[in-house]
Amino acid sequence: MVDQDQRQAKRLIMRVPMWVRSITELPHGEQCVDSMNISIRGTYFAAEGKFQVGEKVEVRLKMPEPVVSGQKTEWCFTARVAHVDPLGGNGRSGVGVHFLY
């Protein structure tokens, strides 16, 4: 995991509804998830599905105003899964993604 001091973008601890789907493994349906934190460079969210480090995903969301002040609020990113962390014993994982484009 990236040390907080090394991050170049301010992360906001906020819940933002997002839709995430794998673009490298088919078929893999779109999941509705909520961010746990978000920045202009990436996000971290809890998910049911199996995500792999390095996997490319599509993330659709309405970027919150504090992150992109005065800009378009609806975004669609291709992102790379940077890390996957177990979240308890309920089969969910914490997924950190880095927005590519």
Side-chain angles (χ1 to χ4, degrees), residues 14-69:
M14 63 181 2
R15 180 179 170 264
V16 176
M18 305 183 303
W19 294 266
V20 180
R21 73 173 185 89
S22 173
I23 59 176
T24 57
E25 292 183 20
L26 295 176
H28 195 266
E30 188 172 68
Q31 292 185 54
C32 183
V33 299
D34 291 323
S35 70
M36 296 168 81
N37 67 56
I38 191 166
S39 77
I40 194 65
R41 293 180 177 252
T43 187
Y44 185 76
F45 57 90
E48 299 280 336
K50 303 278 186 204
F51 290 92
Q52 302 295 319
V53 172
E55 175 182 15
K56 288 188 179 177
V57 295
E58 180 182 87
V59 179
R60 292 186 303 116
L61 63 116
K62 287 192 175 192
M63 191 68 82
E65 180 70 21
V67 176
V68 289
S69 180

